[in-house]
Amino acid sequence: MPQQLTVTVDNVIFTVVGNALQVLLVKRAAEPFAGKYALPGGKLDTSNDKDGNAAATRILREKTGLAINYLEQLKTYSGDFDPRGYTVSMAHYALTYHQELSPKVKSVENAVWMPVEIVGDLSLAFIHKEIIDDALMRLREKARYSLLPLYCLPDQFTVAQYASVLEAILNKSVYPKTLLRRFELVNKDEDIIIATGTKAPLSPGQRGKGGDLYRLTKPIASINFSRNLME
Amino acid sequence: MPQQLTVTVDNVIFTVVGNALQVLLVKRAAEPFAGKYALPGGKLDTSNDKDGNAAATRILREKTGLAINYLEQLKTYSGDFDPRGYTVSMAHYALTYHQELSPKVKSVENAVWMPVEIVGDLSLAFIHKEIIDDALMRLREKARYSLLPLYCLPDQFTVAQYASVLEAILNKSVYPKTLLRRFELVNKDEDIIIATGTKAPLSPGQRGKGGDLYRLTKPIASINFSRNLME
DNA sequence: GGAATAGTGTCTTTAAGACAATATTTT
DNA sequence: AAAATATTGTCTTAAAGACACTATTCC
C-alpha cells in the first residue's frame, strides 16, 4: 500500500515597480499555515494538466489572472514540509511587467505584490521562503548574462528603463552604455531588439530627454552573453 | 478519487574516458521498454528517502555502486511518457572519474558506459534521450564558466588532464594556459587549487614531460567565472 | 639528439567599467 | 537659462585567445 504523496506546483512571480523588485504572495485562508502568506500554487491535476508547466500556467491563470511574459521551471522540492504528508513541489518562476492586481484577485485571494527586501522579515507558509530565495538567486544570475529582465517591462521600453529594472534586481548601478552595447551585440546577425523610431513619452510634469523606445522582434529566452555584468 | 501517479528519480552519470564523454546506461529487463537502454533510476520511496536527492543517491548506490563526485538536480519531467500512468520524474546529473563497472553491476544490471555521440543513434526507454540531451546542455554550459569538470578527474590531476576533459565535453580545443590562469584567479584570496609539488607519473612507454599535479582543498561547486570559454 | 608532452611569456582581442561631454526636453 | 534625463565618445581594465618559445623526460 503506497504512502500518501501529493504533487504540487508553486510559482514565484516577479515584477519591478518603481525601484523595487516584488513578488506575488497570497494570504492562506485554510490550514495548514492559515493566515500566513504563501506563493500562488496548487495541486497537479493529472487528468487535465499535460505536465507541470501546464499546471503552473493554469494555476497562474486561475489564481492571479495576470499576463505572464516568461515562465520557467526553477527546481523541485520534496520531503515532509507539509504536515499533511510527503509532498513533491515543482517550483517555477515567472516574470511580468507591473500590473495592478484586479480587485477580485486582491480581495478573494488576498493577493499582494511584496517587495523582496520585506519578504526576508515575513514568516511564510511551507518552505516558500527557501523557494523565493532560490528563485531570486536564479533571477540575479540570469540578469547578469541574459536579457530576461526585459520581460519585466512592457512591449516597448527604453535602455534607461532596462537599467532601472536591472538595478532593482541586482541592487547595484548598471551602465546604460553597457546595455546598449549588448543590444548591438545581439543585433549583429539579425535584428532582434529594434528601435521603434519613437521616444518614450514623459509623464506630466516630468522633465528630461525621453529615451529611445525599443521592442523585441522575437523571444529572447535563449540569448546569453559570454560575460556577466560585474557583481 | 485521485488518479494513479508515480514519482521517480532518473540519473545521468557522466564520466570521461580517453577522449570521450560517456554516460551510464542500463539495459531494461522488464516491460515497458524491455531490452532498451535506460538511465539508472527508480521510484521515490517516501518512507525512506528524505527527499529527491536522497533518493537519487540511494539509487546510484544500489544500482551502480559507483563513487560519485558531484550530484545536482537537473529538471523534473512530468506527463504520460510511461505507459503505466502519469509520472513525475526528478532527473539529476552526476559527475565521476572513470571507474570500471564492477562485474556484478555489469552483469546483473547490464550496465555500460556509452559515449554520448553514440547515444544519439540509440533508441532509449521513456524520454531518457531528452533527459540526456538536457543534461548534456547543462554540463556544457557549466563547463564553460565553472570548475565542475574537475569532478571527472581523480583526486590529483594536471592542467593537461583538465584540458582534455574539457575537450571531451565541449568538443573543441582548450588552451591549458587559460585553465592555469583560472586556477590563479580562484586562488587569489584563498588557496583552493594547490600544486602538490609532485609530477604526474608517466605510464610505461609514454614519453613527455609529466605535468604538475594539483588537488582541491575544498568543494568547488559554487565557483563561477565571470566569463565563459568561447564556443 | 629527437620526439613527445608540459609550462611560460607575451601580444592580441573582446566586451565591460568608468566617466566626461553632448543632446533633448520641460519648467 | 537651468534642471533633469538620455545618449555618445573614448579611455581603461579584466580575462580569454593565440601562439611561439622553453623545459622535461623517455627512447
Side-chain angles (χ1 to χ4, degrees):
Chain A
M1 180 63 192
Q3 200 185 324
Q4 170 75 15
L5 197 169
T6 307
V7 177
T8 65
V9 168
D10 286 306
N11 301 300
V12 185
I13 312 175
F14 290 111
T15 198
V16 172
V17 192
N19 293 316
L21 178 63
Q22 314 214 355
V23 141
L24 188 72
L25 296 180
V26 298
K27 194 170 265 180
R28 283 182 63 81
E31 291 294 343
F33 299 103
K36 300 233 184 233
Y37 278 112
L39 293 170
K43 277 194 192 167
L44 175 70
D45 173 1
T46 55
S47 35
N48 290 308
D49 300 325
K50 189 171 72 45
D51 56 22
N53 220 288
T57 308
R58 172 182 59 77
I59 286 165
L60 284 181
R61 191 181 54 243
E62 289 174 3
K63 282 221 173 184
T64 76
L66 293 176
I68 296 299
N69 283 346
Y70 180 76
L71 174 75
E72 95 170 21
Q73 193 180 316
L74 172 64
K75 186 176 158 183
T76 297
Y77 300 81
S78 44
D80 55 5
F81 47 79
D82 185 324
R84 290 166 296 185
Y86 205 104
T87 305
V88 170
S89 164
M90 296 187 269
H92 294 71
Y93 76 100
L95 303 178
T96 181
Y97 57 91
H98 176 61
Q99 307 156 65
E100 290 300 333
L101 298 167
S102 77
K104 182 210 156 252
V105 164
K106 206 162 173 172
S107 64
V108 174
E109 297 283 351
N110 260 298
V112 290
W113 286 118
M114 186 74 71
V116 293
E117 321 104 73
I118 293 178
V119 169
D121 300 328
L122 296 177
S123 158
L124 299 188
F126 308 107
I127 49 168
H128 288 186
K129 181 118 64 176
E130 180 186 348
I131 298 178
I132 292 173
D133 283 346
D134 289 346
L136 202 48
M137 196 180 311
R138 176 91 130 254
L139 175 61
R140 286 184 171 142
E141 283 167 4
K142 291 220 169 189
R144 298 203 299 138
Y145 66 78
S146 77
L147 294 167
L148 282 195
L150 285 179
Y151 286 129
C152 292
L153 288 171
D155 237 52
Q156 304 211 349
F157 52 84
T158 69
V159 173
Q161 283 166 3
Y162 183 35
S164 131
V165 161
L166 281 176
E167 286 170 2
I169 293 172
L170 298 173
N171 257 318
K172 93 179 248 314
S173 67
V174 171
Y175 293 105
K177 179 79 188 185
T178 300
L179 304 181
L180 189 58
R181 282 194 284 226
R182 283 183 162 201
F183 286 3
E184 286 159 11
L185 262 179
V186 160
N187 286 336
K188 201 168 50 167
D189 295 326
E190 187 188 357
D191 283 351
I192 292 173
I193 307 178
I194 58 177
T196 63
T198 54
K199 301 247 168 201
L202 299 181
S203 36
Q206 197 195 0
R207 281 195 281 179
K209 191 175 171 175
D212 296 342
L213 282 168
Y214 292 83
R215 66 178 178 79
L216 303 178
T217 63
K218 53 158 57 182
I220 48 165
S222 60
I223 295 175
N224 294 318
F225 299 95
S226 64
R227 300 190 193 177
N228 287 331
L229 302 180
M230 294 282 134
E231 301 272 356
Chain B
M1 178 63 190
Q3 199 184 325
Q4 170 73 19
L5 197 169
T6 308
V7 176
T8 65
V9 167
D10 286 305
N11 301 300
V12 186
I13 311 174
F14 290 111
T15 197
V16 172
V17 192
N19 294 316
L21 178 63
Q22 314 214 354
V23 140
L24 188 72
L25 296 180
V26 299
K27 193 170 265 178
R28 282 183 63 81
E31 292 294 345
F33 299 104
K36 299 235 185 233
Y37 279 112
L39 293 170
K43 277 194 191 165
L44 176 70
D45 173 1
T46 55
S47 35
N48 291 307
D49 299 325
K50 187 171 71 45
D51 56 22
N53 221 288
T57 308
R58 171 181 61 76
I59 285 165
L60 284 181
R61 191 180 55 242
E62 289 173 4
K63 282 220 175 185
T64 76
L66 294 175
I68 296 299
N69 284 347
Y70 180 76
L71 174 75
E72 93 169 24
Q73 192 180 317
L74 173 63
K75 185 176 159 183
T76 296
Y77 301 81
S78 44
D80 55 5
F81 47 79
D82 185 325
R84 291 166 296 184
Y86 205 104
T87 306
V88 170
S89 164
M90 295 187 270
H92 294 71
Y93 76 101
L95 303 178
T96 182
Y97 57 92
H98 176 61
Q99 307 157 66
E100 291 300 333
L101 298 168
S102 78
K104 182 208 155 253
V105 165
K106 206 162 173 173
S107 64
V108 174
E109 297 283 352
N110 259 298
V112 290
W113 286 118
M114 187 73 72
V116 293
E117 321 103 73
I118 293 179
V119 169
D121 300 328
L122 296 176
S123 158
L124 299 188
F126 308 106
I127 51 168
H128 288 186
K129 180 118 64 177
E130 180 186 347
I131 297 178
I132 292 173
D133 283 346
D134 289 347
L136 202 47
M137 196 179 310
R138 176 92 130 252
L139 175 61
R140 285 184 172 141
E141 282 167 6
K142 291 221 171 189
R144 297 203 299 140
Y145 66 78
S146 78
L147 293 167
L148 281 195
L150 285 179
Y151 287 129
C152 292
L153 288 171
D155 235 54
Q156 304 210 348
F157 52 84
T158 68
V159 172
Q161 283 166 4
Y162 182 37
S164 131
V165 161
L166 280 175
E167 286 171 1
I169 293 172
L170 297 173
N171 257 317
K172 95 178 250 311
S173 66
V174 172
Y175 293 106
K177 179 80 188 185
T178 299
L179 305 181
L180 189 57
R181 282 194 283 225
R182 284 183 161 201
F183 286 4
E184 286 159 10
L185 262 179
V186 160
N187 287 335
K188 201 168 47 165
D189 295 325
E190 186 188 358
D191 284 349
I192 291 174
I193 306 177
I194 58 179
T196 63
T198 54
K199 301 246 168 202
L202 299 179
S203 35
Q206 197 195 0
R207 281 196 279 179
K209 190 174 174 178
D212 296 343
L213 282 169
Y214 292 83
R215 66 179 178 78
L216 303 178
T217 63
K218 53 160 56 183
I220 49 164
S222 60
I223 296 175
N224 294 318
F225 299 96
S226 64
R227 301 190 192 177
N228 287 332
L229 302 180
M230 293 283 135
E231 302 272 355

Short mmCIF file of all heavy atoms in Angstrom, two decimals, chain A residues 64-86:
data_model
loop_
_atom_site.label_atom_id
_atom_site.label_comp_id
_atom_site.label_asym_id
_atom_site.label_seq_id
_atom_site.Cartn_x
_atom_site.Cartn_y
_atom_site.Cartn_z
N THR A 64 -4.39 34.23 -10.36
CA THR A 64 -3.95 35.61 -10.45
C THR A 64 -4.52 36.36 -11.65
O THR A 64 -4.66 37.57 -11.60
CB THR A 64 -2.41 35.71 -10.56
OG1 THR A 64 -2.01 35.37 -11.88
CG2 THR A 64 -1.73 34.79 -9.56
N GLY A 65 -4.81 35.66 -12.72
CA GLY A 65 -5.31 36.34 -13.91
C GLY A 65 -4.29 37.26 -14.55
O GLY A 65 -4.61 37.98 -15.50
N LEU A 66 -3.07 37.24 -14.05
CA LEU A 66 -2.05 38.12 -14.61
C LEU A 66 -1.56 37.62 -15.97
O LEU A 66 -1.53 36.42 -16.22
CB LEU A 66 -0.83 38.20 -13.67
CG LEU A 66 -1.04 38.87 -12.31
CD1 LEU A 66 0.24 38.74 -11.50
CD2 LEU A 66 -1.43 40.32 -12.48
N ALA A 67 -1.16 38.56 -16.83
CA ALA A 67 -0.48 38.19 -18.07
C ALA A 67 0.98 37.93 -17.73
O ALA A 67 1.64 38.78 -17.13
CB ALA A 67 -0.59 39.33 -19.08
N ILE A 68 1.47 36.76 -18.05
CA ILE A 68 2.84 36.37 -17.71
C ILE A 68 3.71 36.41 -18.97
O ILE A 68 3.35 35.85 -20.00
CB ILE A 68 2.85 34.95 -17.11
CG1 ILE A 68 2.08 34.92 -15.79
CG2 ILE A 68 4.28 34.46 -16.90
CD1 ILE A 68 2.64 35.82 -14.72
N ASN A 69 4.83 37.11 -18.89
CA ASN A 69 5.70 37.22 -20.06
C ASN A 69 6.65 36.04 -20.19
O ASN A 69 7.03 35.67 -21.30
CB ASN A 69 6.55 38.50 -19.94
CG ASN A 69 5.76 39.73 -20.27
OD1 ASN A 69 4.67 39.64 -20.83
ND2 ASN A 69 6.30 40.89 -19.93
N TYR A 70 7.04 35.50 -19.07
CA TYR A 70 8.07 34.46 -19.10
C TYR A 70 7.86 33.51 -17.94
O TYR A 70 7.60 33.95 -16.82
CB TYR A 70 9.46 35.09 -19.00
CG TYR A 70 10.56 34.07 -19.02
CD1 TYR A 70 10.92 33.46 -20.22
CD2 TYR A 70 11.21 33.68 -17.86
CE1 TYR A 70 11.91 32.49 -20.24
CE2 TYR A 70 12.20 32.71 -17.87
CZ TYR A 70 12.53 32.12 -19.07
OH TYR A 70 13.50 31.16 -19.11
N LEU A 71 7.98 32.21 -18.21
CA LEU A 71 7.82 31.21 -17.14
C LEU A 71 8.82 30.10 -17.36
O LEU A 71 8.95 29.58 -18.47
CB LEU A 71 6.39 30.63 -17.20
CG LEU A 71 6.10 29.47 -16.24
CD1 LEU A 71 5.95 29.96 -14.80
CD2 LEU A 71 4.84 28.72 -16.66
N GLU A 72 9.55 29.73 -16.31
CA GLU A 72 10.45 28.58 -16.44
C GLU A 72 10.51 27.79 -15.16
O GLU A 72 10.24 28.32 -14.07
CB GLU A 72 11.84 29.00 -16.94
CG GLU A 72 12.88 29.23 -15.88
CD GLU A 72 14.30 29.42 -16.42
OE1 GLU A 72 14.51 29.75 -17.60
OE2 GLU A 72 15.23 29.25 -15.62
N GLN A 73 10.86 26.53 -15.31
CA GLN A 73 10.97 25.68 -14.14
C GLN A 73 12.16 26.11 -13.31
O GLN A 73 13.22 26.45 -13.85
CB GLN A 73 11.12 24.22 -14.59
CG GLN A 73 10.93 23.24 -13.45
CD GLN A 73 11.08 21.79 -13.91
OE1 GLN A 73 10.56 21.40 -14.94
NE2 GLN A 73 11.79 21.01 -13.13
N LEU A 74 11.99 26.12 -11.99
CA LEU A 74 13.07 26.52 -11.10
C LEU A 74 13.76 25.29 -10.52
O LEU A 74 14.93 25.04 -10.79
CB LEU A 74 12.50 27.39 -9.96
CG LEU A 74 13.45 27.75 -8.83
CD1 LEU A 74 14.60 28.61 -9.33
CD2 LEU A 74 12.69 28.45 -7.71
N LYS A 75 13.03 24.51 -9.75
CA LYS A 75 13.62 23.40 -9.02
C LYS A 75 12.46 22.64 -8.40
O LYS A 75 11.39 23.19 -8.22
CB LYS A 75 14.53 23.97 -7.93
CG LYS A 75 15.34 22.96 -7.14
CD LYS A 75 16.27 23.69 -6.18
CE LYS A 75 16.68 22.76 -5.05
NZ LYS A 75 17.53 23.43 -4.05
N THR A 76 12.69 21.38 -8.06
CA THR A 76 11.64 20.61 -7.41
C THR A 76 12.03 20.30 -5.98
O THR A 76 13.14 19.85 -5.73
CB THR A 76 11.37 19.32 -8.20
OG1 THR A 76 10.88 19.68 -9.49
CG2 THR A 76 10.35 18.45 -7.50
N TYR A 77 11.10 20.59 -5.07
CA TYR A 77 11.35 20.40 -3.65
C TYR A 77 10.55 19.19 -3.20
O TYR A 77 9.41 19.01 -3.60
CB TYR A 77 10.92 21.64 -2.88
CG TYR A 77 11.68 22.87 -3.33
CD1 TYR A 77 11.30 23.55 -4.48
CD2 TYR A 77 12.80 23.32 -2.65
CE1 TYR A 77 12.00 24.66 -4.93
CE2 TYR A 77 13.51 24.43 -3.09
CZ TYR A 77 13.11 25.09 -4.23
OH TYR A 77 13.81 26.17 -4.68
N SER A 78 11.14 18.37 -2.37
CA SER A 78 10.41 17.18 -1.92
C SER A 78 10.73 16.91 -0.46
O SER A 78 11.78 17.31 0.04
CB SER A 78 10.79 15.99 -2.79
OG SER A 78 12.18 15.94 -3.01
N GLY A 79 9.81 16.24 0.22
CA GLY A 79 10.01 15.92 1.63
C GLY A 79 8.74 16.11 2.41
O GLY A 79 7.65 16.13 1.85
N ASP A 80 8.90 16.26 3.72
CA ASP A 80 7.71 16.29 4.57
C ASP A 80 7.45 17.69 5.14
O ASP A 80 7.09 17.85 6.28
CB ASP A 80 7.85 15.27 5.71
CG ASP A 80 9.13 15.50 6.49
OD1 ASP A 80 9.84 16.49 6.20
OD2 ASP A 80 9.42 14.69 7.39
N PHE A 81 7.65 18.70 4.28
CA PHE A 81 7.47 20.07 4.76
C PHE A 81 5.99 20.45 4.88
O PHE A 81 5.67 21.51 5.41
CB PHE A 81 8.22 21.06 3.86
CG PHE A 81 8.01 20.83 2.38
CD1 PHE A 81 6.86 21.26 1.76
CD2 PHE A 81 8.98 20.16 1.63
CE1 PHE A 81 6.66 21.05 0.41
CE2 PHE A 81 8.78 19.94 0.28
CZ PHE A 81 7.63 20.39 -0.34
N ASP A 82 5.11 19.63 4.36
CA ASP A 82 3.68 19.87 4.53
C ASP A 82 3.16 18.88 5.57
O ASP A 82 3.30 17.67 5.40
CB ASP A 82 2.95 19.65 3.19
CG ASP A 82 1.47 20.02 3.27
OD1 ASP A 82 0.84 19.79 4.33
OD2 ASP A 82 0.94 20.54 2.27
N PRO A 83 2.56 19.39 6.67
CA PRO A 83 2.12 18.48 7.74
C PRO A 83 1.12 17.43 7.27
O PRO A 83 0.95 16.41 7.92
CB PRO A 83 1.49 19.43 8.77
CG PRO A 83 1.33 20.75 8.09
CD PRO A 83 2.34 20.80 7.00
N ARG A 84 0.49 17.68 6.11
CA ARG A 84 -0.50 16.69 5.64
C ARG A 84 0.14 15.47 5.00
O ARG A 84 -0.53 14.49 4.72
CB ARG A 84 -1.46 17.36 4.64
CG ARG A 84 -2.38 18.36 5.29
CD ARG A 84 -3.05 19.24 4.26
NE ARG A 84 -2.10 20.07 3.54
CZ ARG A 84 -2.44 21.00 2.65
NH1 ARG A 84 -3.71 21.19 2.35
NH2 ARG A 84 -1.51 21.73 2.07
N GLY A 85 1.45 15.52 4.74
CA GLY A 85 2.10 14.33 4.17
C GLY A 85 3.21 14.67 3.21
O GLY A 85 3.48 15.84 2.92
N TYR A 86 3.87 13.63 2.74
CA TYR A 86 5.00 13.77 1.83
C TYR A 86 4.57 14.53 0.57
O TYR A 86 3.54 14.22 -0.02
CB TYR A 86 5.50 12.39 1.44
CG TYR A 86 6.96 12.33 1.04
CD1 TYR A 86 7.93 11.81 1.91
CD2 TYR A 86 7.37 12.78 -0.21
CE1 TYR A 86 9.26 11.75 1.54
CE2 TYR A 86 8.71 12.72 -0.58
CZ TYR A 86 9.65 12.21 0.30
OH TYR A 86 10.97 12.15 -0.07
#
